[in-house]
Amino acid sequence: MPKAFSVSGRPSNEEIIAELKRLMRYEPETGNFIRIMDRNQGKTGQIAGCSRRDGRVEIGLLGYRFLAHRLAVAWMTGAMPGEEVDHINCDHSDNRWTNLRACSHAENMRNRRFPGRTETGIKGIRYHKAKNNYEAVVIKNRTTYKFGRFSTIEEAIHVLDIKRKELHGDFARA
């Protein structure tokens, strides 16, 4: 007989956490969920979940797919995370408890790797060919902050690192 869920048809956060703890255990040191019961998806002792193309780990539970990093926060805190969960080291497959933190979308975007699609290859540094100098720029909350022009890229990087830490705090990433 199918399990009855909340009125919306989707399991409540409490139901998700209860089922998670019934079927698996979370290892905070490794970031893995280990099956403690044989199920269709795997045997006791196996690591639960599968990797997506983007590196994040998904775990099937109650007929839905959940991101392992969100389940890790739920396991450790007893509540599903609010907005987003950030991987501090930017490795989306690393779900160790020490690598996860709840955050807003804006904070999560501040702590992302730079794709390196600029002339300098450095996030926040623009090269002005006509003036032969470098400009240090940080964007926060859709506002662009310019911190001057510098004759060397090293000077621009130094200033940028300081200003980025002032504006982004723990979520600052070069």
Side-chain angles (χ1 to χ4, degrees), residues 56-164:
R56 290 175 173 86
V57 177
E58 279 187 342
I59 295 176
L61 194 64
L62 297 168
Y64 292 89
R65 300 191 78 52
F66 297 93
L67 294 170
H69 58 276
R70 294 184 63 78
L71 292 177
V73 171
W75 180 281
M76 295 298 286
T77 64
M80 291 299 280
E83 197 172 339
E84 293 190 17
V85 175
D86 179 44
H87 290 85
I88 296 168
N89 67 3
C90 294
D91 179 353
H92 295 141
S93 65
D94 184 355
N95 293 315
R96 292 174 296 132
W97 179 240
T98 57
N99 188 45
L100 303 176
R101 60 184 168 189
C103 64
S104 69
H105 179 70
E107 289 169 329
N108 206 357
M109 292 297 98
R110 290 177 198 135
N111 184 40
R112 66 180 175 173
R113 288 197 176 120
F114 182 59
R117 288 181 249 143
T118 66
E119 285 183 11
T120 64
I122 300 169
K123 180 177 166 182
I125 304 291
R126 299 176 182 167
Y127 178 67
H128 292 277
K129 191 174 184 178
K131 296 181 181 181
N132 192 28
N133 61 24
Y134 299 89
E135 183 177 33
V137 176
V138 174
I139 298 172
K140 180 178 181 182
N141 299 334
R142 299 181 185 166
T143 301
T144 301
Y145 297 88
K146 296 180 181 181
F147 300 109
R149 295 182 185 230
F150 306 89
S151 57
T152 68
I153 197 166
E154 290 80 14
E155 290 175 301
I157 291 170
H158 177 71
V159 169
L160 187 66
D161 286 343
I162 292 167
K163 297 301 183 178
R164 188 178 283 128

Side-chain angles (χ1 to χ4, degrees), residues 5-102:
F5 294 125
S6 59
V7 178
S8 68
R10 184 178 166 96
S12 69
N13 291 342
E14 293 78 19
E15 292 167 327
I16 294 167
I17 294 168
E19 186 72 356
L20 176 68
K21 290 191 174 193
R22 187 177 76 79
L23 298 176
M24 301 172 208
R25 77 174 186 276
Y26 172 64
E27 295 179 339
E29 303 80 25
T30 65
N32 294 326
F33 281 91
I34 308 298
R35 297 188 181 286
I36 57 175
M37 295 182 73
D38 285 351
R39 301 287 293 172
N40 296 349
Q41 300 96 340
K43 301 280 183 206
T44 299
Q46 285 183 331
I47 295 174
C50 60
S51 294
R52 299 186 336 180
R53 284 186 184 160
D54 63 4
R56 290 175 173 86
V57 177
E58 279 187 342
I59 295 176
L61 194 64
L62 297 168
Y64 292 89
R65 300 191 78 52
F66 297 93
L67 294 170
H69 58 276
R70 294 184 63 78
L71 292 177
V73 171
W75 180 281
M76 295 298 286
T77 64
M80 291 299 280
E83 197 172 339
E84 293 190 17
V85 175
D86 179 44
H87 290 85
I88 296 168
N89 67 3
C90 294
D91 179 353
H92 295 141
S93 65
D94 184 355
N95 293 315
R96 292 174 296 132
W97 179 240
T98 57
N99 188 45
L100 303 176
R101 60 184 168 189

